[in-house]
Amino acid sequence: MEVQNLLLTFGVIILSALAQSSMQLSTGVFLLLYRESAGRYLKKKTKNLLSNYIVGYIFLTSLLLTSICYALMVLFGGNLTILCLTVLICLIFSLAICVWFFYYKTNRSTELWLPKSIIRYIRKRAANSSSNIEAFSLGVLSVVAELPFILALMLVSADSFLKLPALWQIVMILTYTAISVMPLVVLKLSIRHGKTAAEIQKWRLDNLDFTKLISSILFITLGLFLIAFKLVAGGF
């Protein structure tokens, strides 16, 4: 594989991972779990719950990526058609608009687009998570709930993974997962250094517009990147 094509493939994967990392549902659930557990359990147990939440997020993200790769191999021979790719690009641009206008319910809070019944369920699970398994499953649930916004990212990434040699496929799946989980790791380090849930939530509120802008820009950049180097240039 030519170096230029390799770098372009890396670009799609990294942009997709950054776009997923900018989504706020997993961050919100993480803070909810921290707030609910900090007042009830010892600091060590709270840290273990948060760590297992992150492991659950990593597990399902990597599992979905590998499963989508397998599905693309079976259904499309490892290469998305131009029509499928065009639909995905249109969806990515639509998601950029949705992030700005519909991802948050209001401009004055970090409450997300989810139906109230799902929000109540997530809050209940966070409040009742007292074991590592429950925290792990909550991390899995946060990825599932975010799928309407991240599935298109995973599809274009999986298509790019399959263009790579086998070893690079593994490396880039791990890279994608590491980038997407980075905000949770940063939050955990902030908590370890004394930040409270209230302080972190205040930062999120103060930077709400900036967060939306970054997410929208990442989605638009990915869409333009795909148009320029896959549709117009005829693929990698």
Side-chain angles (χ1 to χ4, degrees), residues 213-233:
L213 180 63
I214 291 297
S215 295
S216 296
I217 288 174
L218 285 169
F219 275 95
I220 292 170
T221 303
L222 175 61
L224 293 174
F225 196 89
L226 290 169
I227 290 173
F229 297 110
K230 282 212 167 187
L231 291 186
V232 176

Side-chain angles (χ1 to χ4, degrees), residues 128-143:
N128 295 330
S129 292
S130 57
S131 68
N132 291 336
I133 294 297
E134 288 174 320
F136 177 91
S137 64
L138 193 61
V140 169
L141 177 61
S142 72
V143 178

Side-chain angles (χ1 to χ4, degrees), residues 70-183:
Y70 177 76
L72 292 184
M73 284 291 296
V74 172
L75 298 175
F76 299 97
N79 191 28
L80 284 175
T81 64
I82 294 297
L83 177 60
C84 290
L85 190 59
T86 302
V87 170
L88 283 173
I89 291 171
C90 291
L91 180 57
I92 286 169
F93 282 122
S94 299
L95 290 172
I97 297 171
C98 290
V99 166
W100 186 260
F101 291 105
F102 307 115
Y103 190 68
Y104 296 96
K105 287 189 174 180
T106 71
N107 289 325
R108 297 180 299 277
S109 76
T110 55
E111 186 176 359
L112 301 180
W113 59 276
L114 292 169
K116 289 184 179 180
S117 58
I118 296 179
I119 292 175
R120 284 196 298 268
Y121 178 76
I122 290 175
R123 284 175 177 169
K124 181 180 177 181
R125 296 311 315 149
N128 295 330
S129 292
S130 57
S131 68
N132 291 336
I133 294 297
E134 288 174 320
F136 177 91
S137 64
L138 193 61
V140 169
L141 177 61
S142 72
V143 178
V144 173
E146 197 79 276
L147 275 178
F149 280 86
I150 65 175
L151 184 58
L153 303 174
M154 291 185 167
L155 282 166
V156 296
S157 293
D159 182 56
S160 296
F161 292 142
L162 295 174
K163 304 289 192 300
L164 298 170
L167 180 60
W168 277 111
Q169 289 180 19
I170 297 171
V171 170
M172 293 313 294
I173 286 174
L174 293 175
T175 301
Y176 182 108
T177 305
I179 292 172
S180 67
V181 80
M182 194 57 63

